[in-house]
PDB file of all heavy atoms in Angstrom:
ATOM      1  N   PRO K1478     204.768 -14.568 174.673  1.00 98.00           N
ATOM      2  CA  PRO K1478     203.465 -14.848 175.281  1.00 98.00           C
ATOM      3  C   PRO K1478     203.596 -15.801 176.476  1.00 98.00           C
ATOM      4  O   PRO K1478     204.304 -16.803 176.400  1.00 98.00           O
ATOM      5  CB  PRO K1478     202.664 -15.513 174.152  1.00 98.00           C
ATOM      6  CG  PRO K1478     203.327 -15.056 172.899  1.00 98.00           C
ATOM      7  CD  PRO K1478     204.782 -14.923 173.235  1.00 98.00           C
ATOM      8  N   ASP K1479     202.932 -15.455 177.582  1.00 98.00           N
ATOM      9  CA  ASP K1479     203.017 -16.248 178.811  1.00 98.00           C
ATOM     10  C   ASP K1479     201.592 -16.526 179.317  1.00 98.00           C
ATOM     11  O   ASP K1479     200.920 -15.631 179.815  1.00 98.00           O
ATOM     12  CB  ASP K1479     203.815 -15.437 179.851  1.00 98.00           C
ATOM     13  CG  ASP K1479     203.824 -16.116 181.209  1.00 98.00           C
ATOM     14  OD1 ASP K1479     203.316 -17.262 181.316  1.00 98.00           O
ATOM     15  OD2 ASP K1479     204.331 -15.501 182.168  1.00 98.00           O
ATOM     16  N   PRO K1480     201.131 -17.778 179.208  1.00 98.00           N
ATOM     17  CA  PRO K1480     199.734 -18.078 179.566  1.00 98.00           C
ATOM     18  C   PRO K1480     199.407 -17.806 181.031  1.00 98.00           C
ATOM     19  O   PRO K1480     198.243 -17.574 181.369  1.00 98.00           O
ATOM     20  CB  PRO K1480     199.580 -19.556 179.214  1.00 98.00           C
ATOM     21  CG  PRO K1480     200.959 -20.100 179.086  1.00 98.00           C
ATOM     22  CD  PRO K1480     201.846 -18.971 178.698  1.00 98.00           C
ATOM     23  N   ALA K1481     200.417 -17.824 181.918  1.00 98.00           N
ATOM     24  CA  ALA K1481     200.143 -17.558 183.340  1.00 98.00           C
ATOM     25  C   ALA K1481     199.527 -16.171 183.521  1.00 98.00           C
ATOM     26  O   ALA K1481     198.853 -15.902 184.528  1.00 98.00           O
ATOM     27  CB  ALA K1481     201.431 -17.680 184.151  1.00 98.00           C
ATOM     28  N   ARG K1482     199.746 -15.287 182.548  1.00 98.00           N
ATOM     29  CA  ARG K1482     199.150 -13.951 182.641  1.00 98.00           C
ATOM     30  C   ARG K1482     197.619 -13.988 182.610  1.00 98.00           C
ATOM     31  O   ARG K1482     196.956 -13.066 183.086  1.00 98.00           O
ATOM     32  CB  ARG K1482     199.671 -13.063 181.508  1.00 98.00           C
ATOM     33  CG  ARG K1482     201.097 -12.590 181.759  1.00 98.00           C
ATOM     34  CD  ARG K1482     201.633 -11.812 180.574  1.00 98.00           C
ATOM     35  NE  ARG K1482     202.849 -11.115 180.943  1.00 98.00           N
ATOM     36  CZ  ARG K1482     202.899  -9.825 181.333  1.00 98.00           C
ATOM     37  NH1 ARG K1482     201.809  -9.103 181.371  1.00 98.00           N
ATOM     38  NH2 ARG K1482     204.037  -9.281 181.664  1.00 98.00           N
ATOM     39  N   MET K1483     197.057 -15.059 182.066  1.00 98.00           N
ATOM     40  CA  MET K1483     195.590 -15.170 182.062  1.00 98.00           C
ATOM     41  C   MET K1483     195.058 -15.311 183.485  1.00 98.00           C
ATOM     42  O   MET K1483     193.974 -14.845 183.809  1.00 98.00           O
ATOM     43  CB  MET K1483     195.140 -16.346 181.186  1.00 98.00           C
ATOM     44  CG  MET K1483     195.410 -16.113 179.709  1.00 98.00           C
ATOM     45  SD  MET K1483     194.543 -17.274 178.632  1.00 98.00           S
ATOM     46  CE  MET K1483     195.614 -18.700 178.724  1.00 98.00           C
ATOM     47  N   ILE K1484     195.859 -15.952 184.346  1.00 98.00           N
ATOM     48  CA  ILE K1484     195.465 -16.104 185.755  1.00 98.00           C
ATOM     49  C   ILE K1484     195.504 -14.732 186.436  1.00 98.00           C
ATOM     50  O   ILE K1484     194.614 -14.367 187.194  1.00 98.00           O
ATOM     51  CB  ILE K1484     196.440 -17.070 186.496  1.00 98.00           C
ATOM     52  CG1 ILE K1484     196.575 -18.387 185.727  1.00 98.00           C
ATOM     53  CG2 ILE K1484     196.047 -17.230 187.947  1.00 98.00           C
ATOM     54  CD1 ILE K1484     195.633 -19.465 186.118  1.00 98.00           C
ATOM     55  N   GLN K1485     196.554 -13.975 186.132  1.00 98.00           N
ATOM     56  CA  GLN K1485     196.651 -12.626 186.718  1.00 98.00           C
ATOM     57  C   GLN K1485     195.499 -11.748 186.244  1.00 98.00           C
ATOM     58  O   GLN K1485     194.933 -10.965 187.010  1.00 98.00           O
ATOM     59  CB  GLN K1485     198.007 -11.992 186.370  1.00 98.00           C
ATOM     60  CG  GLN K1485     198.248 -10.720 187.166  1.00 98.00           C
ATOM     61  CD  GLN K1485     199.631 -10.127 186.950  1.00 98.00           C
ATOM     62  OE1 GLN K1485     200.552 -10.811 186.492  1.00 98.00           O
ATOM     63  NE2 GLN K1485     199.777  -8.858 187.279  1.00 98.00           N
ATOM     64  N   ALA K1486     195.141 -11.882 184.961  1.00 98.00           N
ATOM     65  CA  ALA K1486     194.023 -11.094 184.422  1.00 98.00           C
ATOM     66  C   ALA K1486     192.730 -11.452 185.157  1.00 98.00           C
ATOM     67  O   ALA K1486     191.914 -10.579 185.484  1.00 98.00           O
ATOM     68  CB  ALA K1486     193.867 -11.352 182.927  1.00 98.00           C
ATOM     69  N   TYR K1487     192.557 -12.732 185.421  1.00 98.00           N
ATOM     70  CA  TYR K1487     191.356 -13.171 186.158  1.00 98.00           C
ATOM     71  C   TYR K1487     191.323 -12.508 187.548  1.00 98.00           C
ATOM     72  O   TYR K1487     190.302 -11.946 187.952  1.00 98.00           O
ATOM     73  CB  TYR K1487     191.347 -14.701 186.297  1.00 98.00           C
ATOM     74  CG  TYR K1487     190.270 -15.208 187.229  1.00 98.00           C
ATOM     75  CD1 TYR K1487     189.010 -15.538 186.757  1.00 98.00           C
ATOM     76  CD2 TYR K1487     190.521 -15.324 188.603  1.00 98.00           C
ATOM     77  CE1 TYR K1487     188.007 -15.989 187.626  1.00 98.00           C
ATOM     78  CE2 TYR K1487     189.527 -15.758 189.471  1.00 98.00           C
ATOM     79  CZ  TYR K1487     188.276 -16.091 188.986  1.00 98.00           C
ATOM     80  OH  TYR K1487     187.298 -16.508 189.846  1.00 98.00           O
ATOM     81  N   HIS K1488     192.438 -12.567 188.269  1.00 98.00           N
ATOM     82  CA  HIS K1488     192.444 -12.014 189.629  1.00 98.00           C
ATOM     83  C   HIS K1488     192.263 -10.497 189.626  1.00 98.00           C
ATOM     84  O   HIS K1488     191.565  -9.940 190.471  1.00 98.00           O
ATOM     85  CB  HIS K1488     193.737 -12.400 190.357  1.00 98.00           C
ATOM     86  CG  HIS K1488     193.770 -13.858 190.734  1.00 98.00           C
ATOM     87  ND1 HIS K1488     192.804 -14.453 191.509  1.00 98.00           N
ATOM     88  CD2 HIS K1488     194.644 -14.840 190.415  1.00 98.00           C
ATOM     89  CE1 HIS K1488     193.073 -15.734 191.667  1.00 98.00           C
ATOM     90  NE2 HIS K1488     194.186 -16.003 190.997  1.00 98.00           N
ATOM     91  N   GLN K1489     192.889  -9.831 188.659  1.00 98.00           N
ATOM     92  CA  GLN K1489     192.715  -8.367 188.581  1.00 98.00           C
ATOM     93  C   GLN K1489     191.254  -8.037 188.254  1.00 98.00           C
ATOM     94  O   GLN K1489     190.685  -7.077 188.785  1.00 98.00           O
ATOM     95  CB  GLN K1489     193.670  -7.757 187.539  1.00 98.00           C
ATOM     96  CG  GLN K1489     193.526  -6.233 187.475  1.00 98.00           C
ATOM     97  CD  GLN K1489     194.670  -5.554 186.746  1.00 98.00           C
ATOM     98  OE1 GLN K1489     195.815  -5.994 186.799  1.00 98.00           O
ATOM     99  NE2 GLN K1489     194.362  -4.460 186.053  1.00 98.00           N
ATOM    100  N   SER K1490     190.658  -8.829 187.386  1.00 98.00           N
ATOM    101  CA  SER K1490     189.246  -8.593 187.033  1.00 98.00           C
ATOM    102  C   SER K1490     188.357  -8.796 188.255  1.00 98.00           C
ATOM    103  O   SER K1490     187.426  -8.020 188.501  1.00 98.00           O
ATOM    104  CB  SER K1490     188.810  -9.543 185.914  1.00 98.00           C
ATOM    105  OG  SER K1490     189.595  -9.322 184.768  1.00 98.00           O
ATOM    106  N   ALA K1491     188.658  -9.847 189.034  1.00 98.00           N
ATOM    107  CA  ALA K1491     187.850 -10.133 190.226  1.00 98.00           C
ATOM    108  C   ALA K1491     187.945  -8.972 191.228  1.00 98.00           C
ATOM    109  O   ALA K1491     186.931  -8.517 191.769  1.00 98.00           O
ATOM    110  CB  ALA K1491     188.317 -11.430 190.879  1.00 98.00           C
ATOM    111  N   ALA K1492     189.163  -8.469 191.429  1.00 98.00           N
ATOM    112  CA  ALA K1492     189.342  -7.374 192.390  1.00 98.00           C
ATOM    113  C   ALA K1492     188.686  -6.088 191.881  1.00 98.00           C
ATOM    114  O   ALA K1492     188.091  -5.329 192.653  1.00 98.00           O
ATOM    115  CB  ALA K1492     190.837  -7.158 192.645  1.00 98.00           C
ATOM    116  N   THR K1493     188.795  -5.859 190.590  1.00 98.00           N
ATOM    117  CA  THR K1493     188.197  -4.651 190.002  1.00 98.00           C
ATOM    118  C   THR K1493     186.677  -4.696 190.144  1.00 98.00           C
ATOM    119  O   THR K1493     186.031  -3.724 190.556  1.00 98.00           O
ATOM    120  CB  THR K1493     188.591  -4.538 188.510  1.00 98.00           C
ATOM    121  OG1 THR K1493     190.005  -4.517 188.419  1.00 98.00           O
ATOM    122  CG2 THR K1493     188.029  -3.273 187.881  1.00 98.00           C
ATOM    123  N   LEU K1494     186.121  -5.848 189.823  1.00 98.00           N
ATOM    124  CA  LEU K1494     184.673  -6.020 189.891  1.00 98.00           C
ATOM    125  C   LEU K1494     184.190  -5.867 191.336  1.00 98.00           C
ATOM    126  O   LEU K1494     183.148  -5.262 191.601  1.00 98.00           O
ATOM    127  CB  LEU K1494     184.349  -7.421 189.367  1.00 98.00           C
ATOM    128  CG  LEU K1494     182.940  -7.713 188.926  1.00 98.00           C
ATOM    129  CD1 LEU K1494     182.508  -6.777 187.822  1.00 98.00           C
ATOM    130  CD2 LEU K1494     182.849  -9.138 188.427  1.00 98.00           C
ATOM    131  N   ASN K1495     184.964  -6.389 192.262  1.00 98.00           N
ATOM    132  CA  ASN K1495     184.598  -6.292 193.667  1.00 98.00           C
ATOM    133  C   ASN K1495     184.498  -4.829 194.096  1.00 98.00           C
ATOM    134  O   ASN K1495     183.547  -4.409 194.757  1.00 98.00           O
ATOM    135  CB  ASN K1495     185.654  -7.024 194.503  1.00 98.00           C
ATOM    136  CG  ASN K1495     185.306  -7.012 195.969  1.00 98.00           C
ATOM    137  OD1 ASN K1495     184.199  -7.381 196.336  1.00 98.00           O
ATOM    138  ND2 ASN K1495     186.230  -6.564 196.811  1.00 98.00           N
ATOM    139  N   LEU K1496     185.470  -4.029 193.681  1.00 97.00           N
ATOM    140  CA  LEU K1496     185.458  -2.620 194.065  1.00 97.00           C
ATOM    141  C   LEU K1496     184.331  -1.867 193.346  1.00 97.00           C
ATOM    142  O   LEU K1496     183.661  -1.012 193.931  1.00 97.00           O
ATOM    143  CB  LEU K1496     186.815  -1.984 193.752  1.00 97.00           C
ATOM    144  CG  LEU K1496     187.067  -0.664 194.466  1.00 97.00           C
ATOM    145  CD1 LEU K1496     187.022  -0.820 195.977  1.00 97.00           C
ATOM    146  CD2 LEU K1496     188.410  -0.077 194.056  1.00 97.00           C
ATOM    147  N   LEU K1497     184.116  -2.213 192.073  1.00 97.00           N
ATOM    148  CA  LEU K1497     183.021  -1.572 191.336  1.00 97.00           C
ATOM    149  C   LEU K1497     181.680  -1.839 192.003  1.00 97.00           C
ATOM    150  O   LEU K1497     180.844  -0.947 192.128  1.00 97.00           O
ATOM    151  CB  LEU K1497     182.949  -2.128 189.906  1.00 97.00           C
ATOM    152  CG  LEU K1497     183.898  -1.554 188.865  1.00 97.00           C
ATOM    153  CD1 LEU K1497     183.686  -2.278 187.539  1.00 97.00           C
ATOM    154  CD2 LEU K1497     183.671  -0.052 188.688  1.00 97.00           C
ATOM    155  N   ARG K1498     181.505  -3.075 192.453  1.00 96.00           N
ATOM    156  CA  ARG K1498     180.244  -3.412 193.132  1.00 96.00           C
ATOM    157  C   ARG K1498     180.119  -2.592 194.426  1.00 96.00           C
ATOM    158  O   ARG K1498     179.042  -2.085 194.744  1.00 96.00           O
ATOM    159  CB  ARG K1498     180.194  -4.900 193.469  1.00 96.00           C
ATOM    160  CG  ARG K1498     180.055  -5.830 192.271  1.00 96.00           C
ATOM    161  CD  ARG K1498     179.816  -7.269 192.759  1.00 96.00           C
ATOM    162  NE  ARG K1498     180.096  -8.278 191.754  1.00 96.00           N
ATOM    163  CZ  ARG K1498     179.245  -8.657 190.801  1.00 96.00           C
ATOM    164  NH1 ARG K1498     178.072  -8.073 190.693  1.00 96.00           N
ATOM    165  NH2 ARG K1498     179.569  -9.608 189.943  1.00 96.00           N
ATOM    166  N   ALA K1499     181.232  -2.477 195.162  1.00 95.00           N
ATOM    167  CA  ALA K1499     181.187  -1.731 196.424  1.00 95.00           C
ATOM    168  C   ALA K1499     180.880  -0.250 196.166  1.00 95.00           C
ATOM    169  O   ALA K1499     180.039   0.351 196.833  1.00 95.00           O
ATOM    170  CB  ALA K1499     182.525  -1.881 197.149  1.00 95.00           C
TER     171      ALA K1499
END
Side-chain angles (χ1 to χ4, degrees):
D1479 174 6
R1482 284 175 167 264
M1483 292 194 279
I1484 308 268
Q1485 191 175 341
Y1487 171 91
H1488 288 303
Q1489 182 165 326
S1490 299
T1493 302
L1494 199 59
N1495 182 52
L1496 197 60
L1497 278 178
R1498 290 188 199 277

